[in-house]
Amino acid sequence: MAKQSIFGRVSALVKANVNAMLDSAEDPQKMLDQLIRDYTNNIAEAEAAIAETIGNLRLMERDHAEDVTAAGDWGNKALVASRRADQLRGAGNTPEADKFDNLAKIALQRQIQFENEAKTAEPQIASQSQVVEQLKDGLNGMKTKLGELKSKAAELVARQKVAEAQNKVADAVKSVDVLDPTSELGRFEDKIRRQEALAAGKQELAASSLDAQFNALDDIGELSEVETRLAALKAGNAPAIKPGTGQAAIDAPSAPYTPDN
């Protein structure tokens, strides 16, 4: 029963769809490691069981060969005894002839016994030989599956590493998109532009204020002239108007106005 259970597992493992098992696994690497361990252990058990089965088959074959050899030996002994009996009977020695005939009969009985044993063992040997061949095929199938499993394991582990690297790169790219350094530069540029605009505004305001100051100086100058002319009028020294210019001549004061003039 123990051997039958091992052989059953051999058959089940050979028929197992490894790719489907791996595709449905949540953690392929752990699944692969477990499958490789299971396959390796079952292959070791199957090899031990098959070796025992082969050993039993070889014993049966050896026993069968011995039975065939023994049957042949007893057949030869029966023939020798029968010929000796014929010789003795021909010589008129009937009692001795009967003795050898009886020995020939005993030898023939032994021959028949070993022949029957050999015939009985032959179907068992044939059946056991077929079982051994099937078990060998199953074991070879397991070893092939184990090789495929290891190859699949290496492929999946490599794919998993590539996927992990791709995910890390994707996460890094995503974080760059979220915290885009160029957006920080854009905000810094906007700040500088506002500062530049403020400086320009201050400069423009300063220029406007300077123009106002100069305009105020012009106004002060005009008022000063008005005051000067008013004082001249009051002193009777009104400035003369230069001919053709309309500009008052204030370089040299004219004589005071009198009615006689």
Side-chain angles (χ1 to χ4, degrees), residues 17 25 31-32 47-48 50 58 63 68 81-82 85 93 97 110 118 123 137 146 156 164 186 203 230-231 236:
N17 189 341
M31 183 70 176
L32 287 167
E47 285 178 338
I50 294 172
R58 298 296 176 256
D63 291 341
V68 171
S82 175
N93 191 348
R110 293 291 182 87
D137 291 340
L146 182 58
L156 286 182
E164 289 175 353
Q203 291 175 358
L230 179 60

Side-chain angles (χ1 to χ4, degrees), residues 189-218:
E189 182 180 3
D190 289 340
K191 182 177 180 181
I192 293 175
R193 290 179 61 191
R194 287 193 297 270
Q195 291 177 348
E196 291 173 345
L198 178 60
K202 288 182 178 180
Q203 291 175 358
E204 183 176 346
L205 180 60
S208 174
S209 177
L210 186 60
D211 290 341
Q213 292 178 13
F214 279 110
N215 290 334
L217 289 176
D218 291 340

Side-chain angles (χ1 to χ4, degrees), residues 81-222:
S82 175
R83 288 177 177 176
R84 180 62 177 165
D86 291 342
Q87 291 174 355
L88 291 172
R89 188 169 285 106
N93 191 348
T94 301
E96 286 295 322
D98 292 339
K99 178 180 177 181
F100 277 97
D101 280 338
N102 288 332
L103 289 174
K105 291 178 181 179
I106 294 172
L108 290 172
Q109 290 174 351
R110 293 291 182 87
Q111 183 185 24
I112 293 171
Q113 178 184 352
F114 282 108
E115 287 177 350
N116 290 335
E117 290 179 0
K119 289 180 181 179
T120 302
E122 286 174 358
Q124 297 177 0
I125 292 172
S127 176
Q128 196 74 355
S129 298
Q130 185 177 3
V131 170
V132 167
E133 292 303 317
Q134 291 175 349
L135 291 175
K136 285 182 178 180
D137 291 340
L139 183 60
N140 291 333
M142 285 187 68
K143 290 180 179 180
T144 300
K145 284 290 182 181
L146 182 58
E148 293 176 358
L149 182 59
K150 289 180 178 180
S151 177
K152 185 72 172 180
E155 176 189 350
L156 286 182
V157 169
R159 285 171 56 188
Q160 185 178 18
K161 290 181 179 179
V162 171
E164 289 175 353
Q166 289 175 340
N167 287 330
K168 288 180 180 178
V169 172
D171 292 340
V173 171
K174 184 178 179 181
S175 64
V176 168
D177 290 338
V178 173
L179 300 174
D180 188 357
T182 58
S183 64
E184 296 294 330
L185 292 176
R187 284 193 291 271
F188 184 61
E189 182 180 3
D190 289 340
K191 182 177 180 181
I192 293 175
R193 290 179 61 191
R194 287 193 297 270
Q195 291 177 348
E196 291 173 345
L198 178 60
K202 288 182 178 180
Q203 291 175 358
E204 183 176 346
L205 180 60
S208 174
S209 177
L210 186 60
D211 290 341
Q213 292 178 13
F214 279 110
N215 290 334
L217 289 176
D218 291 340
D219 292 342
I220 291 172
E222 291 178 0

Side-chain angles (χ1 to χ4, degrees), residues 66-77:
E66 291 177 354
D67 289 340
V68 171
T69 300
D73 291 341
W74 285 107
N76 291 331
K77 290 178 180 180

